[in-house]
Amino acid sequence: MEINEKNLEEIIAGGKPVVVDFWATWCGPCKRLGPVIEELAAEYDGKVIIGKCDIEENPELTEKFGIMSVPTVVFIKNGQVCDSQVGVAGKPVYEQKINAML
């Protein structure tokens, strides 16, 4: 799912935990992380909203969340950031952070 400046507030208002992968097209590590994010989105479908946000197309969100490097994955529960992961980590790291929100 693409997350952007137009839909993020509505997604958060839905009440489910949200995971946002902040990435850029020119970022090699972001490309490596992409398939992991897609797998997680499929595995947690219906429980957690998982999507990607292109930092170059969404500068306001990038600034709002204080994204200084990509990839950065932000975990949002009850409308508040509860965790984040900067750089690429193994899939179990993301699973642990997601499960902590459930």
Side-chain angles (χ1 to χ4, degrees):
M1 162 184 271
E2 181 181 338
I3 294 178
N4 56 46
E5 292 167 356
K6 294 182 177 92
N7 69 6
L8 181 61
E9 291 304 319
E10 182 179 326
I11 290 169
I12 290 172
K16 290 183 181 168
V18 179
V19 177
V20 184
D21 172 20
F22 286 90
W23 72 290
T25 55
W26 46 261
C27 168
C30 298
K31 292 176 183 170
R32 289 199 313 273
L33 181 59
V36 173
I37 295 298
E38 289 173 20
E39 284 176 31
L40 292 168
E43 290 170 19
Y44 288 91
D45 187 36
K47 297 180 201 160
V48 180
I49 306 293
I50 300 176
K52 299 170 72 64
C53 180
D54 186 326
I55 62 165
E56 293 184 331
E57 293 178 9
N58 298 280
E60 288 178 22
L61 285 182
T62 302
E63 185 176 324
K64 176 181 177 179
F65 287 94
I67 304 303
M68 302 299 278
S69 62
V70 288
T72 295
V73 179
V74 175
F75 300 82
I76 303 167
K77 182 176 181 181
N78 300 323
Q80 301 293 318
V81 173
C82 62
D83 206 345
S84 65
Q85 177 66 44
V86 178
V88 178
K91 186 176 174 185
V93 171
Y94 300 103
E95 289 172 328
Q96 179 182 12
K97 291 175 184 282
I98 292 169
N99 290 331
M101 294 193 302
L102 296 176

